[in-house]
């Protein structure tokens, strides 16, 4: 079983002229969002949502790689 669950995924072609993919997911009972450049799936930003605020998050390389692989399969 994966340590996270992707709840929503958006492909956006209006982000500063580049296509991006944003995945919203839960991990360890917290809500996160990660945005990748669609062309090469390099990370643009990651956020954790806590107490009504969004804060930059530090996700492990293992989680990031797993999410990246899931996104590759979905797009």
């Amino acid at each position: 079983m994966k340590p996270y669950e992707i709840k929503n995924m958006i492909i956006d072609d209006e982000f500063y002229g580049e296509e991006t993919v944003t995945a919203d997911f839960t991990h360890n009972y917290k809500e996160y969002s990660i945005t990748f450049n669609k062309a090469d799936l390099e990370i643009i930003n990651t956020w954790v949502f806590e107490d009504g605020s969004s804060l930059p998050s530090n996700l492990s390389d293992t989680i990031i790689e797993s999410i990246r692989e899931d996104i590759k399969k979905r797009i």
Side-chain angles (χ1 to χ4, degrees), residues 5-60:
E5 181 182 353
I6 294 177
K7 300 286 189 175
N8 190 35
M9 192 172 90
I10 300 167
I11 298 173
D12 185 2
D13 61 359
E14 298 297 324
F15 186 78
Y16 299 109
E18 295 181 353
E19 286 187 329
T20 61
V21 178
T22 300
D24 299 328
F25 62 98
T26 56
H27 171 61
N28 289 340
Y29 305 103
K30 292 184 180 181
E31 299 290 324
Y32 291 86
S33 180
I34 186 168
T35 301
F36 295 96
N37 179 313
K38 186 180 175 197
D40 57 11
L41 292 181
E42 287 300 314
I43 296 174
I44 294 174
N45 59 44
T46 60
W47 301 98
V48 60
F49 301 100
E50 293 180 347
D51 301 322
S53 297
S54 58
L55 305 166
S57 70
N58 274 334
L59 294 166
S60 73

